[in-house]
Amino acid sequence: METFLIRALQLIMSLSLLVIIHEGGHFLFSRLFKVRVEKFYIFFDPWFSLFKFKPKNSDTEYGVGWVPLGGYVKISGMIDESMDTEQMKQPAQPWEFRSKPAWQRLLIMIGGVLMNFLLAIFIYSMILFHWGDSYISLQDMTYGMKFNERAQEIGFRDGDILLRADEQPLERFGMDMLRNVAEARTVTVLRDGKETEIYMPEISLLDIAKEEPMFLDILRPNVVDSVIAGGPLAIAGVQKGDSILAVNNMPVGSWNEFTEKLEGFRSDAETNGAEYAEFSLVYSHQGMRDTVAVRTDSLFMVRATSMLDYKVTTRHFNFFESFPAGVKLGVNTLKGYVNDMKYVFTKEGAKSVGGFGTIGSIFPKVWDWHRFWEMTAFLSIILAFMNILPIPALDGGHVLFLLYEIVARRKPSDKFMEYAQMVGMFLLFALLIWANFNDIMRFVF
């Protein structure tokens, strides 16, 4: 329950900030061009609102709605989420959106997307300024990688150290690395002190990202890091530094293999309706082999002391250096996200679309400001990109119609805009329902 509340609070804080900044972008350009903004709301407020106020001598009502699906600004003289068609039947007023030149209306519509992207760059810059950029280079992971069966069929071997995807150096473990490997024609690894080229078949990033065990993972030696004091393993004599050699007489060569077998035991126990599974564990202590009976519900060990031994590369940035580095990080993040969008239009990609549960799960289980700001910047990038898509009811749909107006020198009719808005809202609600349905199905099954 505590984990759920921590994640939920982070999600609400992050989305609230992103909504304020996004709608603030529309508001800023509207006021810059003297367009009246009637409402500025966080969340939607059908029938009633949780809170609202209107400052004296202001045209704008500020408030908080009760439906947490985003937010909106109601701009005078514009067909939007409010579907206020009665206003559009009245003569156009100088302060209305429809009375302004097309280029001003275009800037008003892209204002939200622009502010979200600028926010992401600013957050990334401040992360780099405050925490720097710390990572363990793939070349410094001297134990190499652990590969699943599919990767080994391609030609990888446990212990390979990743060097390059085509001619692009592979620097750090993560999704960018996996994307580069999946899209490469050849991957160069260091094996037994020699460079070896592996020719890659056509594979889908989406497929290998979901594989269990992972297509490639950090190879962790089969060495015990710690044992809970007073627990069954401690009583049996297992200590830090001992090596796990076999389970149920099946040899294990790495901690990865040990955890895979452990998960298999747990899964079998669950299938058979048992609370736990029993197995024998062979370990080595100071060169002496011993065997102990273990239950899966009593196994308390922290894996892989090897990560503590690797050299950590850290780059620090002063205040002025952090901004170009933040721009580069933001642009690269956007490129990666746009590149991965092609998988959404596949059968597996459609099943992978997630709603609020999926978004909330990307936040850490414990409060971590570093991770919180990283995820907020990433979500800001996503919000910017999704909103600029040329879909009616999104900013990108309005931008598309404005570009048509600029090129054709004629506006789409108000009736066309009404129908387009309704179609767009239907599509968005259908996507929202589908995404959250996927979350429910993943939770249930």
Side-chain angles (χ1 to χ4, degrees):
M1 186 63 178
E2 181 180 357
T3 296
F4 171 80
L5 292 176
I6 290 174
R7 281 178 163 167
L9 181 58
Q10 291 179 92
L11 177 63
I12 292 171
M13 285 181 58
S14 180
L15 292 184
S16 297
L17 172 63
L18 298 183
V19 168
I20 291 172
I21 293 297
H22 181 89
E23 302 304 336
H26 296 308
F27 180 86
L28 176 66
F29 281 98
S30 296
R31 301 308 299 139
L32 180 65
F33 299 129
K34 303 187 184 310
V35 174
R36 183 175 294 175
V37 179
E38 299 175 17
K39 285 186 174 185
F40 188 129
Y41 265 69
I42 303 174
F43 306 149
F44 291 100
D45 61 327
W47 303 296
F48 68 94
S49 60
L50 299 179
F51 169 78
K52 64 181 179 180
F53 78 99
K54 188 174 184 179
K56 188 177 181 181
N57 300 323
S58 173
D59 297 317
T60 307
E61 175 184 292
Y62 302 88
V64 179
W66 60 276
V67 182
L69 299 179
Y72 72 99
V73 287
K74 186 178 185 302
I75 300 173
S76 295
M78 175 183 172
I79 297 176
D80 56 11
E81 299 92 338
S82 65
M83 296 302 293
D84 187 359
T85 56
E86 291 301 316
Q87 184 184 71
M88 303 301 292
K89 296 177 182 178
Q90 306 301 318
Q93 301 298 322
W95 62 78
E96 289 186 333
F97 178 83
R98 55 181 166 165
S99 300
K100 301 302 177 179
W103 70 270
Q104 292 185 2
R105 285 180 279 135
L106 183 63
L107 287 175
I108 290 172
M109 293 318 305
I110 66 174
V113 168
L114 177 63
M115 292 299 288
N116 275 130
F117 187 66
L118 291 177
L119 174 66
I121 288 175
F122 178 75
I123 292 175
Y124 280 135
S125 299
M126 291 301 96
I127 288 174
L128 294 173
F129 173 62
H130 187 271
W131 285 285
D133 183 20
S134 296
Y135 63 97
I136 298 175
S137 169
L138 288 170
Q139 285 72 54
D140 289 330
M141 294 181 181
T142 52
Y143 289 103
M145 296 288 119
K146 171 70 177 176
F147 299 91
N148 68 8
E149 184 177 349
R150 180 180 184 179
Q152 298 210 25
E153 288 175 355
I154 292 173
F156 292 100
R157 296 293 178 266
D158 289 347
D160 284 351
I161 297 175
L162 298 173
L163 298 179
R164 294 182 299 277
D166 291 331
E167 295 304 315
Q168 181 175 354
L170 297 172
E171 295 182 352
R172 63 181 78 188
F173 187 84
M175 186 55 70
D176 287 341
M177 174 212 67
L178 194 60
R179 181 185 300 111
N180 291 335
V181 168
E183 296 178 353
R185 298 183 66 182
T186 61
V187 175
T188 305
V189 301
L190 186 66
R191 180 183 299 166
D192 299 327
K194 297 179 180 180
E195 291 193 5
T196 301
E197 278 195 349
I198 298 168
Y199 294 91
M200 298 292 296
E202 289 190 10
I203 55 177
S204 164
L205 172 64
L206 186 63
D207 287 343
I208 65 174
K210 295 168 59 178
E211 288 181 353
E212 289 292 341
M214 294 174 63
F215 182 82
L216 64 90
D217 196 1
I218 299 168
L219 180 62
R220 294 173 170 88
N222 49 344
V223 178
V224 176
D225 177 71
S226 59
V227 184
I228 296 296
L233 294 175
I235 294 173
V238 179
Q239 300 178 21
K240 178 177 181 177
D242 291 352
S243 297
I244 306 299
L245 303 180
V247 290
N248 279 357
N249 295 320
M250 295 181 291
V252 292
S254 66
W255 196 272
N256 309 67
E257 291 182 30
F258 173 62
T259 54
E260 288 169 18
K261 287 181 169 55
L262 178 61
E263 287 304 314
F265 295 149
R266 287 173 172 158
S267 177
D268 291 343
E270 184 177 326
T271 301
N272 295 325
E275 295 182 1
Y276 57 85
E278 295 183 344
F279 61 95
S280 64
L281 184 148
V282 180
Y283 68 99
S284 173
H285 175 67
Q286 296 180 351
M288 302 293 292
R289 294 168 60 97
D290 203 350
T291 303
V292 60
V294 181
R295 286 171 31 167
T296 53
D297 64 341
S298 66
L299 195 64
F300 297 102
M301 287 188 288
V302 179
R303 63 181 181 176
T305 58
S306 62
M307 293 301 291
L308 304 177
D309 300 330
Y310 287 145
K311 171 188 172 185
V312 177
T313 300
T314 301
R315 183 182 175 189
H316 298 285
F317 300 85
N318 64 36
F319 184 75
F320 296 103
E321 291 174 334
S322 68
F323 287 99
V327 170
K328 182 179 179 181
L329 181 55
V331 171
N332 288 341
T333 302
L334 177 60
K335 285 181 178 178
Y337 183 75
V338 172
N339 181 73
D340 294 343
M341 279 296 294
K342 61 188 176 186
Y343 298 111
V344 173
F345 302 102
T346 65
K347 182 178 180 181
E348 287 300 314
K351 293 179 181 179
S352 300
V353 173
F356 292 111
T358 298
I359 298 172
S361 68
I362 71 176
F363 288 96
K365 297 179 181 180
V366 295
W367 198 276
D368 182 340
W369 281 111
H370 187 186
R371 186 66 175 164
F372 170 81
W373 288 117
E374 283 184 333
M375 291 301 98
T376 299
F378 180 60
L379 290 177
S380 196
I381 293 281
I382 294 177
L383 183 60
F385 175 75
M386 295 300 293
N387 265 281
I388 205 62
L389 292 176
I391 299 173
L394 291 178
D395 297 342
H398 291 285
V399 168
L400 178 66
F401 297 136
L402 281 166
L403 291 175
Y404 165 80
E405 178 184 339
I406 292 171
V407 173
R409 298 184 180 277
R410 56 177 293 186
K411 291 183 179 180
S413 69
D414 288 345
K415 185 60 66 176
F416 172 82
M417 294 298 292
E418 289 176 25
Y419 287 138
Q421 186 74 19
M422 287 189 288
V423 169
M425 291 178 67
F426 173 80
L427 292 174
L428 292 179
F429 278 115
L431 177 61
L432 185 66
I433 292 170
W434 173 253
N436 286 282
F437 173 76
N438 282 345
D439 281 351
I440 294 171
M441 296 301 290
R442 280 191 284 266
F443 177 78
V444 172
F445 298 101

